[in-house]
Amino acid sequence: MSVSPATPTKLLSAQADSELAALQARIWNWLDEIADPEIPAISVVDLGIVRAVELQHDPAQQMHCTVVITPTYSGCPASFVEVFCKLGLIPDTGGTYFLPRLVGTARAMGMALLGQRISAEQAEQWGLIWQCVDDAELMVQARAMARQFASAATLGLAATKATLYRSPAHTLEQQLDLERDTMRTLGHTRIAASLRQPERLVGMHFFNPVQQMELVEIIRGLSSDAAVAQCVYDTAIAWGKVPVFASSTPGFIVNRLARPYYAEALRVLNERGPQPATIDAVMREAGGFRMGPFELMDLIGHDVNFSVTQSVFQAYFNDPRFTPSLIQQELVHAGHLGRKSGRGFYQYSAEEVPLPIEDEQPCDTPTVALQIFGTHPLVEVIRARYKKGRVEYHPPRADHLLMKAGPGRLYVTEGRTATQQSYDYDMPDVVLVDLALNYATTSRLMVTKADQCHPRAYEAVAGVLQACGFTLSPMADIPAMIVMRTVCMLINEAADAVNQGVCSAADADMAMKKGVNYPRGPLAWANAIGVDTVAKVLRQLSATYGEDRYRVSPLLQRLQASKRKFHE
């Protein structure tokens, strides 16, 4: 586009332009700090400079001016015009950035390039302003609106304002995630502090899809009245929901207690463990979970899942138990968000090819008699199913040995690596098997072996398990394997939540069964495998990694010392 000499364009010097930009940035920053709603009442011709402030509306930020009203004058009506081009100046961000986002590019072109003036009524129709009022009512209406805002919960208005004006760039799912994150960030106690009657504020946290998911978390803040909370609880029951009480803490119950389900799988993957498809298969078939962690993260969306993990991590002042994963951060940076983007840990396309699950090759059974020890559920399955040779039965051993197949020795993982256990027992041919929800019904087991284990010893153990009908998924020698470490960390987090007064033991179990469809509540699972076993696994993980991430909950330690269980 050429510029005619008859209409010279005035350009600022580099120094003046830099100073003006700095001034404008300071104005925007100052406006950003104003969280409360603002009500500009315009009663003159707006030449565009003020309009840049009024219309600042970036989908990635909050809009600064909430409600703009003008009068309808008969003599000198309020109107709006972008005068920059008429004066030979290049329009600022008000005319080139914010304006087209409100009225559309075509209308913004007419205003910014031609200096088209529009009336207050037309501005109202286009959505530039909220309302035209009678001439004499301008300040009356502005003050009335200000009083109405002032009588509301200021913090809640600020949060609503921020979420409303980020919505144009979001899908419905993204906007719902933003709203949930906003509530988690603010916290019910902080919102209640701005209310005249804070004791009347109680939260209800639903789960998607709301029509199908029964769980509702009833959130009690520091000031919430017990009678009000009970009324909301009873209301949820009347709606056919299953309510649980939770205190106003980051993540409430489910979003806090579920973090290890993702974190431990990502940790194992990061340590060159099995591929996502194998871990998912083991968590479904052996662990009894409806979805494996990687397919579930793909379904949720890695941007959402990573954001929640970051939010909980920061809210708990960087507690290492909630440390986000670099693997997931890389997926987010690459735009591989899961199903919604067509790619995450899995590919989602018309030509989608399922990722292979790593299965052990068929192995021979031992030629000598099989020896089994004790009455562990896996031992009982082997006793009932093994028909390939003679079986000798022995009482349980102090070292919890389950089976001797030739030179191979089979144990259920107790938190150490097989290599470390082999060293500690001075026993070279150690094979470990992972936890299962029910060894009698599972079709798949995860196995690993010590670095010192001879191939023939491993094959003898694997051959027996395969002869009993199990599909085996081998993995690298990683402490506590995958199902055991995940379940123990879920138990530990639930125990800490109970110990810290976030919820009761019964509500912790109910929330995880109804909110995320776990096959068993984590604390009921602790009772099933033994509180002592859980504490030992966590201590072994802590000793191996030297991290506070695996510290044992004080409540678990007390139950272990007193030989008691949860729900007693």
Side-chain angles (χ1 to χ4, degrees), residues 356-430:
I357 299 171
E358 300 149 298
D359 293 341
E360 188 58 82
Q361 296 296 315
C363 298
D364 294 330
T365 55
T367 55
V368 297
L370 181 69
Q371 300 179 58
I372 55 177
F373 301 83
T375 58
H376 185 277
L378 180 55
V379 170
E380 295 301 320
V381 173
I382 296 171
R383 181 196 297 266
R385 296 182 185 176
Y386 188 70
K387 309 297 182 185
K388 291 290 188 76
R390 188 164 58 90
V391 180
E392 297 177 359
Y393 307 105
H394 300 276
R397 288 181 30 154
D399 65 354
H400 305 297
L401 177 66
L402 300 185
M403 180 180 77
K404 286 181 66 178
R409 290 167 170 82
L410 179 67
Y411 297 83
V412 174
T413 178
E414 293 184 349
R416 286 172 288 191
T417 62
T419 302
Q420 184 64 49
Q421 187 164 328
S422 179
Y423 173 81
D424 292 342
Y425 289 176
D426 192 22
M427 187 183 297
D429 296 318
V430 169

Side-chain angles (χ1 to χ4, degrees), residues 515-534:
V516 279
N517 293 310
Y518 281 6
R520 180 184 280 163
L523 302 181
W525 214 327
N527 290 345
I529 63 178
V531 169
D532 189 63
T533 297
V534 175

Side-chain angles (χ1 to χ4, degrees), residues 4-72:
S4 169
T7 56
T9 299
K10 300 178 183 178
L11 298 176
L12 297 174
S13 68
Q15 180 179 355
D17 185 55
S18 176
E19 291 173 355
L20 181 60
L23 174 62
Q24 189 178 47
R26 286 197 297 273
I27 293 172
W28 294 158
N29 290 337
W30 172 71
L31 288 167
D32 271 333
E33 295 171 359
I34 302 175
D36 300 334
E38 305 86 41
I39 309 166
I42 308 299
S43 60
V44 295
V45 177
D46 185 336
L47 299 178
I49 300 171
V50 177
R51 176 106 310 256
V53 175
E54 293 157 5
L55 299 185
Q56 180 156 344
H57 176 191
D58 184 343
Q61 304 173 17
Q62 61 187 29
M63 184 176 180
H64 296 124
C65 296
T66 308
V67 177
V68 181
I69 62 175
T70 68
T72 53

Side-chain angles (χ1 to χ4, degrees), residues 424-451:
D424 292 342
Y425 289 176
D426 192 22
M427 187 183 297
D429 296 318
V430 169
V431 179
L432 299 183
V433 64
D434 204 352
L435 177 68
L437 176 68
N438 187 336
Y439 288 99
T441 58
T442 185
S443 58
R444 181 180 299 274
L445 292 174
M446 184 76 85
V447 291
T448 190
K449 61 184 176 65
D451 291 348

Side-chain angles (χ1 to χ4, degrees), residues 154-227:
T154 306
L155 190 63
L157 286 175
T160 303
K161 176 181 169 182
T163 53
L164 272 173
Y165 288 107
R166 288 175 65 181
S167 63
H170 285 172
T171 64
L172 175 60
E173 181 181 348
Q174 290 171 324
Q175 188 69 7
L176 288 171
D177 293 332
L178 172 63
E179 292 172 10
R180 286 192 288 266
D181 286 342
T182 301
M183 291 302 296
R184 279 192 292 265
T185 301
L186 290 177
H188 283 70
T189 297
R190 186 180 172 198
I191 294 172
S194 64
L195 298 178
R196 293 178 181 176
Q197 294 178 296
E199 68 277 4
R200 297 183 63 185
L201 180 68
V202 173
M204 299 182 79
H205 184 211
F206 294 85
F207 291 79
N208 284 327
V210 175
Q211 316 91 286
Q212 299 175 23
M213 302 301 290
E214 295 180 283
L215 185 71
V216 179
E217 293 176 329
I218 309 300
I219 314 302
R220 299 177 294 196
L222 193 62
S223 303
S224 298
D225 183 88

Side-chain angles (χ1 to χ4, degrees), residues 44 91 102 112 131 562:
V44 295
L102 282 179
Q131 186 179 23
S562 62

